[in-house]
Amino acid sequence: VLQVYGNSMTPTLQEGQIVISLKDSDFQQGDLVAFYLGNKLLVKRVIASPGQWVDIREDGTVYVDDVKLEEPYVDELTMGQCDIELPYQVPESCYFLMGDHRGSSVDSRSSSVGCVSKEQIMGKIVFCVWPMESFGPIG
């Protein structure tokens, strides 16, 4: 059980929501995952898996293996805080993660976060339990 802090996952998740994370080891593109970065527990979306190529155009459009991602969960596309060289190949046993609020999310586009190893990932976010008006499955 986790509480969401910050706005990097809006509009999908809002600050203060309480969500359920299930331990899993099979993460797919589009899954929301909770992972540790240092002593902080963060939530981001899986964009690419080990071995895949990620490219982000100047307008913020994301391509994985030269296929444009359809991202209805993103309100505004932007390059955001990107200091990695693109296109970028995801290392083995790692995942490329991005927040849904691309303008404020610090994620795999930044060398300060980078790709996230499978061992860092605590689980997949699957359900919201609070507030009651958001109660239900996430995905």
Side-chain angles (χ1 to χ4, degrees), residues 10-11 59-60 71 73-79 99-103:
T10 59
D59 68 355
E71 298 187 287
Y73 43 81
V74 175
D75 281 347
E76 180 183 1
L77 294 175
T78 179
M79 179 66 90
D100 290 355
H101 191 267
R102 300 289 163 80

Side-chain angles (χ1 to χ4, degrees), residues 1-9 13-21 34-36 40-43 125 127-131 138:
V1 177
L2 310 168
Q3 186 167 18
V4 176
Y5 293 98
N7 68 351
S8 72
M9 287 304 296
L13 298 176
Q14 306 296 320
E15 184 163 16
Q17 281 183 305
I18 298 176
V19 296
I20 304 289
S21 169
F35 67 98
Y36 276 104
K40 288 185 178 180
L41 190 59
L42 304 176
V43 175
I125 307 295
F127 205 85
C128 181
V129 295
W130 185 261
I138 296 173

Side-chain angles (χ1 to χ4, degrees), residues 48-49 51-55 63-66 86-90:
S49 297
Q52 291 188 302
W53 285 90
V54 176
D55 198 9
Y63 290 81
V64 175
D65 293 335
D66 294 322
L86 297 169
Y88 178 86
Q89 187 173 28
V90 182

Side-chain angles (χ1 to χ4, degrees), residues 98-115:
M98 292 173 69
D100 290 355
H101 191 267
R102 300 289 163 80
S104 70
S105 180
V106 179
D107 47 42
S108 293
R109 296 172 291 173
S110 169
S111 58
S112 66
V113 175
C115 284

